């Protein structure tokens, strides 16, 4: 039987899955009704972002499994690469 991750990756070609990634930084900030979570992963300079309705536990120092796709975000006229997280699980 296929796992949920395998089903997601097969259905959506642009997704990437990474296992056992160490979280170096985890920041949560409010944006309207949502909480924006930003993760920085060891060995990667691109932020990983996801939204939740409620605050999420602090992931700093934890190992996580991430399913994500690349995106571009414009901040003050500069385009930055971000990874939009679809699924995050503590490894």
């Amino acid at each position: 039987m296929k796992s949920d991750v395998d089903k997601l990756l097969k259905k959506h070609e642009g997704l990437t899955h990474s296992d056992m990634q160490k979280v170096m930084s985890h920041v949560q900030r409010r944006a309207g009704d949502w909480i924006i979570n930003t993760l920085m992963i060891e060995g990667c300079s691109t932020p990983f972002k996801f939204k939740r309705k409620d605050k999420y536990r602090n992931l700093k120092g934890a190992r996580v499994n991430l399913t994500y796709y690349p995106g571009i975000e414009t901040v003050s006229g500069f385009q930055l690469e971000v990874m939009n997280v679809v699924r995050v699980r503590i490894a």
Side-chain angles (χ1 to χ4, degrees), residues 34-79:
W34 292 92
I35 304 289
I36 307 294
N37 291 267
T38 304
L39 304 176
M40 292 303 292
I41 302 298
E42 184 176 58
C44 183
S45 62
T46 304
F48 290 74
K49 292 184 154 193
F50 62 97
K51 291 191 226 180
R52 293 190 51 108
K53 284 288 188 179
D54 299 316
K55 285 190 89 168
Y56 199 67
R57 71 177 93 179
N58 189 358
L59 296 174
K60 186 174 180 179
R63 295 232 177 241
V64 295
N65 298 336
L66 297 166
T67 305
Y68 56 92
Y69 62 94
I72 301 291
E73 189 173 286
T74 303
V75 178
S76 299
F78 294 100
Q79 289 189 339

